[in-house]
Amino acid sequence: MQKLLGILFLIAGIYFLGQNIMFSTYYSPFFWRNLPAMGSVLAIMGGVVSLIFFPRQTGGFGWILLVAGIILVFLSGGVFLKPTSLWNFLVAFGAIAVGYKLLFTRTFRF
């Protein structure tokens, strides 16, 4: 029961924190200006597919693709952070921390 509650807290915290992060790409008539955005989408898709469908064969390569995709998202300038209140951030980060502690410890104590 403790692990299930931890997973629910983690998902809720990531959801509330992720509501204020926007990823966008822009259209450019020249293909080389949109290359980091296109590369980030392809790298993340390839990483997710390799981790879900081929975890034993390409598990390490899948993690490399995911990290490369996240780095390319930031390099492309396609990440926008919407303004958020300190209370929303505190609740989201607290839910992530409590969920992690519930999920990965045997006994939960503050």
Side-chain angles (χ1 to χ4, degrees):
M1 185 67 179
Q2 181 177 346
K3 291 197 183 290
L4 178 64
L5 193 60
I7 290 172
L8 290 176
F9 268 111
L10 270 173
I11 290 171
I14 290 170
Y15 172 75
F16 285 123
L17 196 61
Q19 281 183 331
N20 297 318
I21 300 172
M22 293 178 54
F23 296 99
S24 70
T25 58
Y26 59 91
Y27 176 73
S28 176
F30 306 108
F31 73 91
W32 60 84
R33 289 188 183 174
N34 204 13
L35 199 57
M38 181 180 58
S40 66
V41 170
L42 291 176
I44 289 174
M45 286 172 45
V48 168
V49 167
S50 68
L51 285 174
I52 290 175
F53 293 111
F54 311 108
R56 290 188 179 164
Q57 294 87 359
T58 61
F61 184 63
W63 286 110
I64 291 171
L65 282 175
L66 278 177
V67 169
I70 291 170
I71 290 171
L72 283 172
V73 163
F74 287 105
L75 287 177
S76 69
V79 177
F80 300 105
L81 301 175
K82 292 191 294 185
T84 183
S85 69
L86 184 61
W87 176 249
N88 285 341
F89 180 75
L90 179 70
V91 168
F93 192 73
I96 290 172
V98 169
Y100 179 81
K101 189 160 184 162
L102 281 171
L103 193 60
F104 292 110
T105 58
R106 295 197 183 254
T107 59
F108 181 73
R109 292 185 197 139
F110 282 107

